[in-house]
């Protein structure tokens, strides 16, 4: 039986999009065949920033063009001033009174999902412009969001009857920054509220590669990658974390479009160094 390969692309805001594309571009610099195998993964799971990258790399758009766009001074992303420490403190306060993970997400939806300065129409238009593609790929693409009202996760796929841009926008609608996206009478927020990686949703794959724009020792308030990896057993899983140079490139506001160029370059440098460790994915 042919091995099933999974690619998991985690959340990380604007900087995360640039970084993940940079890591892939770095792989291409050294091993074109490896990069082709990574992009051709049987299952691709995208969350938040990773949903944009997942939709872009499965669209057939050349990686060089996607990476090059991150270096441009022109950006369709909306500039917002976010105090990430203050926002994370608000999440922590909600967690103190939450009875369960679902209740935590439900409370986040009730308290933070509508506290944004940007309206839904403007936000969706920015995501459509950034995405650049409109059609779901034939591949198994899984984009993760969370229902604002119920706190339950939703995995959008090609057969979900939802426009690709709506699925990406919903998966990226981080509460306290971006407004929820309305789909079929429900409002959805960022899938990172369940987990920044949602790696367990690559279940069924034999080999799984995870790209996450965070350090291995970063706090995990929304889920545990270690627990997700255990749920994937007996699959072999390898993770590319952000290194110190990448974290510096993200700065204090990874939502800002000004981070794109530095984050992309840092990701590319890191990708070049990971070839030996990741060649297993193509075997």
């Amino acid at each position: 039986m042919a091995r099933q390969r999974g690619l998991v692309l985690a959340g990380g805001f604007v900087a995360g999009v640039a970084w993940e594309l940079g890591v892939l571009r770095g792989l291409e610099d050294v091993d074109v065949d490896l990069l082709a195998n990574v992009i051709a993964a049987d299952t691709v799971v995208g969350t938040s920033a990773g949903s944009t990258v997942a939709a872009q790399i499965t669209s057939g758009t050349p990686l060089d063009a996607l990476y090059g766009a991150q270096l441009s001074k022109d950006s369709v992303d909306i500039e917002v001033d976010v105090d990430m420490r203050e926002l994370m403190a608000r999440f922590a306060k909600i967690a103190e009174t939450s009875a369960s993970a679902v209740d935590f997400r439900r409370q986040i939806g009730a308290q933070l999902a509508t506290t944004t300065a940007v309206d839904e129409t403007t936000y969706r238009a920015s995501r459509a412009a950034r995405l650049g593609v409109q059609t779901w790929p034939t591949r198994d693409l899984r984009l993760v969001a969370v229902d604002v009202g119920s706190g339950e996760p939703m995995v959008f796929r090609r057969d979900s009857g939802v426009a690709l841009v709506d699925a990406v926008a919903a998966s990226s609608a981080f509460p306290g920054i971006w407004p929820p996206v309305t789909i079929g009478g429900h409002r959805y927020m960022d899938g990172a509220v369940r987990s920044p990686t949602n790696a367990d949703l690559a279940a069924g794959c034999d080999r799984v590669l995870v790209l996450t724009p965070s350090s291995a020792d970063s706090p995990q308030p929304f889920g545990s990658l270690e627990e997700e990896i255990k749920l994937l057993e007996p699959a072999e899983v390898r993770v590319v974390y952000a290194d110190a140079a990448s974290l510096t490139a993200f700065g204090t506001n990874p939502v800002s479009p000004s981070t794109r160029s530095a984050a992309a370059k840092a990701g590319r440098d890191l990708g070049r160094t990971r070839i030996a460790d990741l060649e297993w994915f193509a075997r």
Side-chain angles (χ1 to χ4, degrees):
M1 181 181 295
R3 289 185 177 275
Q4 295 292 305
R5 297 179 175 87
L7 174 62
V8 174
L9 299 163
F13 305 104
V14 174
V17 171
W19 181 83
E20 289 174 7
L21 289 171
V23 170
L24 295 173
R25 186 66 180 83
L27 297 182
E28 186 179 41
D29 285 339
V30 182
D31 191 333
V32 174
D33 292 335
L34 173 59
L35 184 279
N37 275 280
V38 170
I39 287 184
D42 302 286
T43 296
V44 182
V45 178
T47 302
S48 197
S51 67
T52 292
V53 177
Q56 288 178 329
I57 65 173
T58 57
S59 70
T61 303
L63 179 60
D64 196 51
L66 297 173
Y67 175 78
Q70 305 306 308
L71 307 182
S72 172
K73 293 181 180 179
D74 298 324
S75 173
V76 297
D77 286 295
I78 301 169
E79 182 73 62
V80 291
D81 184 17
V82 180
D83 185 334
M84 295 302 297
R85 289 187 178 181
E86 189 275 336
L87 183 57
M88 290 302 106
R90 293 170 70 185
F91 283 123
K93 189 172 182 61
I94 292 172
E96 292 175 359
T97 60
S98 299
S100 65
V102 172
D103 182 52
F104 174 51
R105 297 192 291 265
R106 198 161 42 228
Q107 288 198 50
I108 287 174
Q111 297 184 42
L112 296 178
T114 58
T115 58
T116 62
V118 179
D119 63 87
E120 182 180 346
T121 300
T122 301
Y123 166 69
R124 184 189 182 282
S126 73
R127 287 298 174 268
R130 181 171 78 177
L131 188 60
V133 294
Q134 301 295 325
T135 306
W136 284 88
T138 57
R139 210 110 51 81
D140 182 9
L141 176 60
R142 308 174 185 182
L143 305 181
V144 190
V146 170
D147 188 300
V148 169
S150 70
E152 295 290 348
M154 169 61 75
V155 182
F156 293 109
R157 296 179 170 88
R158 181 164 52 99
D159 60 0
S160 296
V162 174
L164 178 62
V165 64
D166 288 337
V168 170
S171 180
S172 307
F174 199 81
I177 301 177
W178 307 119
V181 174
T182 306
I183 301 174
H186 291 257
R187 296 186 306 153
Y188 294 96
M189 59 185 173
D190 201 310
V193 177
R194 176 185 185 261
S195 161
T197 48
N198 289 297
D200 56 307
L201 298 180
C205 294
D206 302 291
R207 296 174 182 173
V208 179
L209 172 60
V210 181
L211 303 187
T212 178
S214 61
S215 63
D217 58 356
S218 292
Q220 300 183 57
F222 304 121
S224 168
L225 178 55
E226 291 75 17
E227 292 179 4
E228 292 166 18
I229 291 174
K230 288 181 181 178
L231 291 172
L232 290 173
E233 293 178 349
E236 183 176 359
V237 183
R238 298 192 185 178
V239 183
V240 176
Y241 292 100
D243 59 2
S246 299
L247 296 175
T248 298
F250 300 160
T252 58
N253 182 12
V255 183
S256 174
S258 65
T259 63
R260 291 158 58 245
S261 180
K265 291 175 181 177
R268 186 174 185 176
D269 288 342
L270 179 61
R272 290 169 177 156
T273 71
R274 295 301 304 272
I275 296 299
D277 181 45
L278 302 181
E279 286 178 341
W280 119 102
F281 195 80
R283 293 198 293 267

